């Protein structure tokens, strides 16, 4: 898939719209789902996905084969998602109640009823993690990526990813335990 | 009880593992194409405005230079006409 994607990227650099559509079909689901895990809002995830593919189209010529295309696309998505959240927080500083309510009500659209409650709880607490822990957790346990790829995307060592995941899980556990008396976990 | 709690905690922590993916909206690619088309128009307008600004800058520089040259000429002719000591001939007794 990567060879194909690289070839598509070089065609996109030459402004080939058909190649761009093929590239979109290859990566749209990954980009959209990653953005959804960060923004926890369908419209925002759509906006981030749009931004990611616009950037890919414009930066296709700058892609260096040193990294895998998959890693490059995920890296752009993570950065765009984090920047989007920062920007949104700045913009809605005076409408704090609105954003908080919107985020805690998030339900992943693809989940079956059985997992929905657990995932809702998980996303509520993922939100409170520091950015690096959040990225390591989302890429590993939501996107199901191998640890080495997570390390490549984040530009850190495998050991650092493991340590981030341990801290993320510890933080999530303590938050879930605190909410234990009030919830049926 | 504790084992049950631990299991439930793990159920929450790993609730997204292997979960089905959400599908992006079908019209999203069209939106992206529209965005790209509008951005290329914006770039053209941006380039045009840069060219226009450069032209205006050049025009202003030219006008300023012409004005400065004219002022210089006026000053030098004024100096010449105001100075009584300047004359082409200083000695009129040619045949002495």
């Amino acid at each position: 898939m990567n060879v194909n994607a690289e070839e598509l990227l070089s065609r996109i650099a030459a402004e080939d719209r058909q190649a761009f559509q093929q590239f979109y079909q290859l990566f749209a689901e990954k980009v959209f789902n990653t953005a959804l895990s960060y923004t926890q809002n369908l419209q925002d995830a759509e906006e981030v996905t749009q931004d990611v593919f616009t950037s890919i189209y414009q930066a296709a010529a700058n892609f260096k084969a040193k990294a895998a295309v998959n890693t490059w696309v995920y890296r752009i998505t993570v950065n765009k998602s984090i920047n989007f959240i920062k920007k949104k927080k700045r913009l809605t500083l005076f409408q704090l109640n609105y954003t908080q309510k919107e985020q805690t009500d998030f339900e992943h659209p693809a989940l079956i009823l059985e997992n929905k409650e657990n995932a809702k709880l998980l996303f509520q607490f993922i939100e409170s993690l520091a950015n690096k822990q959040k990225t390591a957790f989302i890429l590993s346990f939501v996107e199901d990526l191998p640890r080495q790829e997570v390390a490549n995307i984040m530009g850190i060592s495998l050991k650092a990813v493991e340590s981030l995941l341990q801290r993320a899980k510890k933080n999530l556990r303590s938050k879930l335990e605190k909410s234990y008396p009030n919830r049926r976990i | 009880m504790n084992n049950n709690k631990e299991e439930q905690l793990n159920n929450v922590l790993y609730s997204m593992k292997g979960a089905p993916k959400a599908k992006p909206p079908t019209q999203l690619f069209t939106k992206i194409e529209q965005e790209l088309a509008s951005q290329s128009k914006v770039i053209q307008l941006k380039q045009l405005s840069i060219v226009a600004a450069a032209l205006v800058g050049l025009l202003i520089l030219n006008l300023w230079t012409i004005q400065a040259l004219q002022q210089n000429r006026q000053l030098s002719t004024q100096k010449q006409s105001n100075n009584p000591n300047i004359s082409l001939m200083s000695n009129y007794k040619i045949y002495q």
Side-chain angles (χ1 to χ4, degrees):
Chain A
M1 189 190 82
N2 274 345
V3 177
N4 195 10
E6 266 182 47
E7 195 188 307
L8 286 175
L9 267 181
S10 59
R11 280 167 57 199
I12 293 168
E15 299 192 357
D16 181 340
R17 289 283 167 124
Q18 211 181 345
F20 184 53
Q21 190 164 9
Q22 280 176 276
F23 191 87
Y24 173 83
Q25 279 159 358
L26 271 178
F27 290 100
E29 209 175 271
K30 290 176 181 177
V31 171
F32 183 71
N33 278 277
T34 309
L36 190 60
S37 298
Y38 277 95
T39 59
Q40 301 187 12
N41 177 299
L42 284 169
Q43 282 175 329
D44 291 348
E46 198 180 317
E47 206 174 308
V48 172
T49 307
Q50 196 172 329
D51 196 15
V52 168
F53 280 98
T54 311
S55 297
I56 286 173
Y57 186 83
Q58 287 161 347
N62 302 333
F63 172 75
K64 293 190 176 66
K66 272 183 195 170
V69 180
N70 207 43
T71 307
W72 187 64
V73 173
Y74 267 114
R75 200 176 287 167
I76 296 174
T77 310
V78 167
N79 289 336
K80 293 275 180 194
S81 301
I82 291 172
N83 287 342
F84 181 89
I85 293 167
K86 269 187 203 165
K87 201 173 156 188
K88 197 179 176 187
K89 270 183 188 163
R90 261 200 312 255
L91 284 172
T92 50
L93 199 64
F94 301 106
Q95 302 167 344
L96 202 62
N97 290 335
Y98 169 73
T99 48
Q100 275 178 347
K101 198 177 175 185
E102 195 181 42
Q103 277 163 352
T104 50
D105 283 349
F106 173 69
E107 276 184 11
H108 197 282
L111 286 181
I112 48 165
L113 199 67
E114 194 187 317
N115 263 347
K116 237 172 192 160
E117 276 305 309
N118 283 343
K120 193 174 169 180
L121 202 58
L122 177 71
F123 277 114
Q124 192 182 321
F125 292 119
I126 281 179
E127 189 54 32
S128 63
L129 292 175
N131 273 340
K132 280 188 178 177
Q133 288 178 31
K134 197 195 283 185
T135 300
F137 192 88
I138 287 174
L139 294 177
S140 304
F141 294 114
V142 182
E143 280 303 299
D144 265 344
L145 294 178
R147 300 283 188 277
Q148 186 56 58
E149 188 162 4
V150 176
N152 294 343
I153 293 165
M154 295 181 75
I156 54 176
S157 67
L158 194 62
K159 220 174 174 182
V161 172
E162 294 290 356
S163 142
L164 279 171
L165 283 174
Q166 267 185 349
R167 271 185 283 159
K169 280 196 272 186
K170 196 180 164 194
N171 286 336
L172 287 171
R173 260 175 206 279
S174 81
K175 274 171 185 146
L176 285 166
E177 273 169 2
K178 272 179 200 164
S179 77
Y180 185 69
N182 307 322
R183 293 177 192 269
R184 288 186 304 114
I185 50 168
Chain B
M1 178 70 189
N2 261 352
N3 276 347
N4 190 28
K5 188 183 163 187
E6 188 62 25
E7 193 187 321
Q8 283 177 330
L9 276 173
N10 283 336
N11 283 346
V12 175
L13 273 179
Y14 305 116
S15 57
M16 286 303 290
K17 212 162 165 55
K21 301 285 175 200
K23 298 270 175 228
T26 45
Q27 78 288 2
L28 189 56
F29 185 72
T30 318
K31 275 189 186 174
I32 293 167
E33 280 199 311
Q34 283 168 352
E35 167 80 11
L36 282 171
S38 70
Q39 276 194 1
S40 67
K41 273 181 197 164
V42 169
I43 290 166
Q44 278 171 3
L45 274 176
K46 208 176 174 183
Q47 283 170 338
L48 266 179
S49 60
I50 290 168
V51 171
L55 281 175
V56 168
L58 263 174
L59 196 73
I60 289 169
L61 258 175
N62 276 328
L63 285 173
W64 180 76
T65 314
I66 291 167
Q67 205 183 8
L69 272 172
Q70 273 180 342
Q71 274 178 350
N72 242 357
R73 271 185 206 152
Q74 275 175 354
L75 271 174
S76 59
T77 48
Q78 267 178 0
K79 267 184 190 169
Q80 279 177 355
S81 58
N82 291 343
N83 194 349
N85 299 327
I86 293 173
S87 61
L88 289 172
M89 296 175 81
S90 52
N91 187 4
Y92 292 95
K93 293 169 185 173
I94 304 167
Y95 305 108
Q96 268 186 355

